[in-house]
Amino acid sequence: MTPLSRRGLLTAGAGAGAALAVGPLAFPAAASGSRGPFGRFGSPAARLTDRTLYVHPGGLGDHTTVQAAVTAASGPGGTLVIAPGTYRETVAVSVARTGMTWIGASENPRDVVVVYDNASGTPRPGGGTYGTSGSATTTVQADGFTARWITFANDFLRAEHPGIKDTQAVALKVQGDRSAFLHCRFLGHQDTLYADSRSLGSVARQYFAHCHVEGDVDFVFGRARAVFEHCHFRTLLRTDLASAPHGFVFAPSTAGAQPYGFLASRCRVTSEAPDGYYKLARPWVPSSDTTAWPSLVVRDSVLGPGIDAVAPYANMRDAHPWQAQRFAEYRNTGPGAEITVPANRPQLTAAEARTVTRATYLGDWSPRR
């Protein structure tokens, strides 16, 4: 089996491409500059606050791994300033670590990378496999989590593990309410970004702004109430498949009782694959919640030619057709947004669109404050 794709190392929100790596991800670390490895965010000798911890892979901070710093930051409101480097580890932010903030010290998400390579079918040391949730490089369960200028990645490659059939490989699973990701990158293939909640009945409001997300199959999925603004979704080339579709951008699994699911506003979708090889979305109705009613609105966004304009939606299971879900678009442009078969592209009215906003989805939480 040949490698599935190349991964573009792109700055979140920027139009210019950077170096491309074939196969496993290569993560360059920028020079720290005259201000030291922690930039303008202090140092262990001059802390921003007494709740600020510094992470440096070479030992110039309080901790050399992100997980060690998370564990040390007991109680609410801790801040991690993370120096440039590749942190090959899995990280878990438990429910108790509320109000935590991670800052990429260089203010460039390409420089600070948290990465691992577990997949759903990867064998666990103690027996069994990890499963989709267990494959996550980073898992955030706590409320009030904020990350700035961080790359979350899972560099599992199907071609390197032909014996593994369950190839879901999550870069980030986030379950907390009031979770914000600003100028971050999420890199993977299948199931890259798992925007979820801690339980079926809980509300998890999540906000992603000026982020870059890439993958192939269902690479933005889950039941969170998630708003994506000014984000770039990049679909990857799959050389193991001879024909379309190569995958799906969104796979929401919104609980039936929840009024809102995913909202992508003023975003763009580009592709490495041939024109029309990707679907915009398909609904995920998991076996654990057969009453799910997936919700997705994509509005005021630019959809490149990689999206199948004739049939942009598909079924995951025929028992739950996409037409029965809450899928809609509004004022999208680009070749992938062309309305050639109106029945295949449900559109909001102007009146409906006025209620489909960041403020409506996030309620009394303002992540920009």
Side-chain angles (χ1 to χ4, degrees), residues 161-174:
H161 304 277
I164 293 178
K165 304 305 179 186
D166 296 325
T167 58
Q168 300 90 341
V170 178
L172 173 73
K173 180 176 183 178
V174 55

Side-chain angles (χ1 to χ4, degrees), residues 160-317:
E160 295 182 354
H161 304 277
I164 293 178
K165 304 305 179 186
D166 296 325
T167 58
Q168 300 90 341
V170 178
L172 173 73
K173 180 176 183 178
V174 55
Q175 298 177 285
D177 188 33
R178 294 175 287 107
S179 303
F181 297 84
L182 312 173
H183 299 280
C184 289
R185 298 193 308 160
F186 307 91
L187 308 182
H189 283 268
Q190 183 172 358
D191 291 6
T192 304
L193 174 56
Y194 195 171
D196 200 29
S197 64
R198 290 196 298 267
S199 67
L200 183 61
S202 63
V203 175
R205 294 167 295 176
Q206 299 168 7
Y207 181 65
F208 301 82
H210 301 282
C211 290
H212 174 92
V213 193
E214 66 180 41
D216 48 44
V217 178
D218 304 330
F219 64 94
V220 181
F221 73 113
R223 68 181 174 215
R225 184 184 300 184
V227 175
F228 301 86
E229 287 190 325
H230 302 287
C231 289
H232 177 198
F233 302 97
R234 179 74 169 169
T235 65
L236 299 177
L237 177 67
R238 293 187 61 179
T239 57
D240 62 318
L241 296 180
S243 61
H246 276 191
F248 315 85
V249 179
F250 298 101
S253 59
T254 320
Q258 295 294 338
Y260 309 112
F262 290 172
L263 168 62
S265 177
R266 290 174 287 175
C267 295
R268 61 191 177 106
V269 180
T270 64
S271 183
E272 293 180 353
D275 292 357
Y277 267 48
Y278 271 84
K279 305 293 187 181
L280 187 60
R282 64 177 179 174
W284 177 33
V285 178
S287 58
S288 59
D289 177 23
T290 57
T291 64
W293 193 14
S295 172
L296 167 70
V297 175
V298 180
R299 61 171 300 170
D300 301 297
S301 295
V302 180
L303 309 183
I307 297 299
D308 180 356
V310 175
Y313 305 105
N315 298 338
M316 188 176 293
R317 298 180 181 90

